[in-house]
Structure formats: structure tokens, C-alpha cells
Amino acid sequence: MDRIPILKMGSALLVTIQVDMQDRLAMALEEDLTTRIAQTGARGVLIDISSLEIVDSFIGRMLDSIAAVSRLLDARTVVVGMRPAVAITLVELGLTLTGVATALDVERGMALLGERIAGAEGFDAGDIL
Amino acid sequence: MPVTSSDTMEIRTSDDIVRVRQKVRDLAVGIGLGLVDQTKIVTAASEIARNTLDYGGGGTARVEVIEEGFRRGVRVTFEDEGPGIADVTRAMQDGFTTGGGLGLGLSGAKRLSNEFSIQSAVGVGTRIMIARWKSG
Ligand SMILES: Nc1ncnc2c1ncn2[C@@H]1O[C@H](COP(=O)(O)OP(=O)(O)OP(=O)(O)O)[C@@H](O)[C@H]1O
Ligand SMILES: [Mg+2]
């Protein structure tokens, strides 16, 4: 079975979702990602959906659940590159993805992750001191 | 209402949902629907196709280009011979689900379409029609 490639970028994992992902691919992604987070100790996950022409409730739920599971493994998820037409449609569908952080592109997503990771680490350090 | 193109597709696996989406997209592009309208009707079709597979046990999607006067639209009619829906009014409400979903598929698909109709009978099956017109 095909797998969606997961790349490591510093302390983050980057996933680029290809056009019209099939359901079983989406399900495998969730599993693969959690395994990789645990293996690598990644602190962040970037999911690039810029090639997705639509996001329906199935994909929306997958994004939400990846974000929730990653959080439990101490990694933050940022979904990047949502197309404007997809955003408009998602809101009308009623899916606002409240549990998922978003950024316009990979660069901004990395910046956002950097802030969060740094912020969290600063907080931890303060706790120890 | 004149129908200028019609294709009936099987929905048996989740790959079929991808094919239905692509067909709807092709017809929507073909009649010149704008990008946002395309995205809306393809997303609505994806929701109903998934319900047809998950709850209806599979079925068919008839994907058509329709005409009325000078305007054209894309219409998709989903049919299954599954268990049917006992209370359609409730099923149409945001958040109602029997499948552990978000309960947004039916209500969302209706919002994303210009036309929507649903007929369902317990033990007989379900038929849902969605359509989107090219505006102006
Ligand atoms: N074709 C069908 N046959 C039988 N029951 C159906 C069918 N389509 C929908 N239903 C019923 O209507 C309910 C609502 O459907 P809807 O698509 O709105 O939500 P969902 O599929 O449960 O969740 P979501 O679509 O948000 O993932 C379903 O849970 C199911 O009980
Ligand atoms: Mg549904």
C-alpha cells in the first residue's frame, strides 16, 4: 500500500498531502505520524494541504484527530496552505476545525511552530528553575 | 428539465467516492462554474457519496448537467437500497449522527447546494439529490 511521505525538518515533521487522497491513505497517515512522533520526539507537525481541492468532513475529522493525538504526544500541529475556496466551503459546511492551528504557508507554519515550541520550552525551563 | 449529459456511477468502495468527486468537478468546470461554486458542489457530493457507502451499504450516483432556460447546472442523485432513515428531519440537523461522525454531512451538503431533496424509507433505501446552478 502507498504511504504519504513524512519528512523531518529540524524538530518538526512535514507532511505534504497529495491531490485527492484516498481514505485508507488518510487513515494510514494518522498511524504513521503518531509512530514517527514517538520515534523522533518531534515537537511539531506541519500538514501541507495546498494541493487539496476539497476538504470534506472525513478529511476535516482526520486533521482534527491528528492534532489531538499529536498534542497528547507533546507535538503541535499546524495545517498550512488551505486554499481560499476550501476555507469558504468548510465554514459553510459547518466545519471550523477549531482544534487545529493554521498558517498560510509552510514558512509561516514553521515560524508558528517555532514560537510555540520555544514558548513551551521557555515555560518548562522556568518551571525547573 | 433538459438533461444534456448523464453518467451513472457505482459507489462500492471509498475509491469510488474519489471518482464521483472527479466527475462532478469535471462537469462543474465544463459548464463554467466558478472555483468556489465548484468546490461547494464537489464537497457536497463527497459528503453524500460517503453516506451512501457508509450507511446505505453502497449505491449509485447519477451525475448530470441540467438546463433550465438559459442557465445550466450540475445535479447529482444518489440512490441506495440500504436501511433508510427513520427520522429525516432529525438526520438533517447539524450534529445528528448514528455513526460517530460530526453529523454535518447532510445539513452541510444542503447548505452547499442550490437544490437539495431527500427521500428515504426504512427498509427500502434513500435517494438524495443535490444541484448547483451557474449563477449569472
Ligand atoms: N444513505 C443513508 N442511509 C441510511 N442512513 C443515512 C444515510 N445517510 C445518512 N444517514 C443517517 O443520517 C445521519 C446523519 O448523516 P450526516 O452525513 O449528516 O452525518 P454523519 O455521516 O453521521 O457524520 P459526518 O457526515 O459529519 O461525518 C447518519 O449518522 C445516518 O444515521
Ligand atoms: Mg456523513
Side-chain angles (χ1 to χ4, degrees):
Chain A
M1 191 171 82
D2 285 347
R3 285 295 217 256
I4 299 173
I6 301 172
L7 302 177
K8 190 154 193 309
M9 281 174 76
S11 60
L13 299 176
L14 172 66
V15 179
T16 304
I17 294 183
Q18 298 301 322
V19 194
D20 233 339
M21 172 175 46
Q22 271 136 26
D23 295 5
R24 50 198 159 77
L25 216 56
M27 260 126 79
L29 174 65
E30 206 174 322
E31 271 187 48
D32 291 352
L33 251 181
T34 44
T35 312
R36 284 291 292 278
I37 293 170
Q39 277 171 357
T40 60
R43 304 297 309 277
V45 176
L46 271 183
I47 305 180
D48 183 355
I49 62 165
S50 55
S51 46
L52 281 191
E53 293 183 333
I54 69 147
V55 172
D56 61 6
S57 63
F58 181 84
I59 299 295
R61 203 157 61 228
M62 178 203 75
L63 294 174
D64 248 339
S65 120
I66 286 178
V69 175
S70 306
R71 205 176 302 126
L72 291 178
L73 297 175
D74 198 23
R76 302 289 165 270
T77 303
V78 181
V79 170
V80 303
M82 184 183 294
R83 298 185 183 192
V86 169
I88 292 171
T89 302
L90 266 184
V91 170
E92 199 160 329
L93 183 64
L95 208 71
T96 43
L97 295 184
T98 40
V100 182
T102 54
L104 280 183
D105 53 36
V106 173
E107 205 178 321
R108 288 184 216 213
M110 278 305 275
L112 186 61
L113 274 181
E115 278 165 30
R116 293 198 174 185
I117 294 168
E121 269 160 8
F123 183 76
D124 286 349
D127 261 2
I128 297 163
L129 293 173
Chain B
M1 191 181 303
V3 174
T4 53
S5 134
S6 176
D7 259 292
T8 300
M9 309 173 74
E10 293 277 327
I11 301 175
R12 296 280 160 225
T13 68
S14 69
D15 291 0
D16 293 333
I17 300 177
V18 175
R19 278 189 275 277
V20 169
R21 281 205 291 261
Q22 280 159 354
K23 182 74 195 173
V24 174
R25 168 81 64 181
D26 286 350
L27 295 191
V29 170
I31 66 164
L33 268 187
L35 184 57
V36 172
D37 285 341
Q38 285 171 34
T39 308
K40 286 181 178 180
I41 191 69
V42 175
T43 305
S46 186
E47 292 297 336
I48 305 303
R50 189 173 311 281
N51 285 351
T52 300
L53 180 65
D54 288 351
Y55 304 112
T60 56
R62 194 168 74 244
V63 190
E64 300 167 307
V65 172
I66 51 176
E67 270 181 22
E68 193 182 69
F70 289 109
R71 63 176 189 164
R72 296 212 286 170
V74 174
R75 177 168 75 188
V76 195
T77 310
F78 296 88
E79 282 180 334
D80 68 64
E81 294 174 358
I85 303 174
D87 187 341
V88 170
T89 314
R90 254 184 99 203
M92 287 300 304
Q93 285 167 0
D94 274 354
F96 178 83
T97 177
T98 60
L102 298 169
L104 288 176
L106 284 177
S107 50
K110 183 174 182 186
R111 284 191 289 272
L112 292 171
S113 307
N114 297 136
E115 311 217 6
F116 180 95
S117 74
I118 176 167
Q119 283 122 11
S120 190
V122 173
V124 180
T126 301
R127 174 163 59 217
I128 293 176
M129 181 278 288
I130 58 173
R132 190 143 190 119
W133 294 104
K134 176 168 162 45
S135 45

